[in-house]
Amino acid sequence: MHPGQRNGLDALCKRYSVDNSHRDLHGALLDADLLLEVYLAMTGGQGALTLDEAAAATEARTSARKATRPRGTLVVIRATDAELAAHESRLAALDKASGGRTAWRNLEGPA
């Protein structure tokens, strides 16, 4: 649609007036949400991916079924000491590469 112009996500957000001011880091979920907004703006400013939101919501409610729980015991396999050390090493490398801005450390509970 825009030959010869930048078409990265930030450029598209700017071109279609999609607010991406909260995008400090790249993340798949955040980028997907921004791309959805850009796509909706590119397709004529529609407000949703469906033509009839009420019908889509009704269809979603009627087609949902309760999942059956499998029988048996849930087996929990814990990480070995070597796997935990490799994981910690990888996190340390990510911390170093990002200047200490990795989100994973924020998700960890207290040690």
Side-chain angles (χ1 to χ4, degrees), residues 11-106:
L12 290 170
C13 286
K14 184 176 180 180
R15 186 174 302 134
Y16 289 99
S17 302
V18 172
D19 178 25
N20 66 343
S21 59
H22 56 284
R23 185 179 187 230
D24 296 330
L25 299 173
H26 294 278
L29 189 57
L30 176 60
D31 287 358
D33 188 50
L34 288 171
L35 190 56
L36 170 65
E37 295 297 321
V38 167
Y39 175 78
L40 292 175
M42 290 175 72
T43 56
Q46 68 189 48
L49 290 176
T50 61
L51 296 176
D52 183 4
E53 291 182 33
T58 302
E59 181 181 315
R61 279 195 302 268
T62 59
S63 64
R65 293 177 289 140
K66 184 177 180 181
T68 57
R69 175 174 276 175
R71 294 185 184 265
T73 310
L74 177 64
V75 178
V76 177
I77 300 173
R78 303 273 180 210
T80 65
D81 288 339
E83 291 168 331
L84 290 172
H87 177 70
E88 185 58 39
S89 174
R90 182 68 175 150
L91 289 180
L94 289 171
D95 282 340
K96 183 177 179 183
S98 69
R101 293 176 40 186
T102 53
W104 187 266
R105 296 284 189 195
N106 295 333

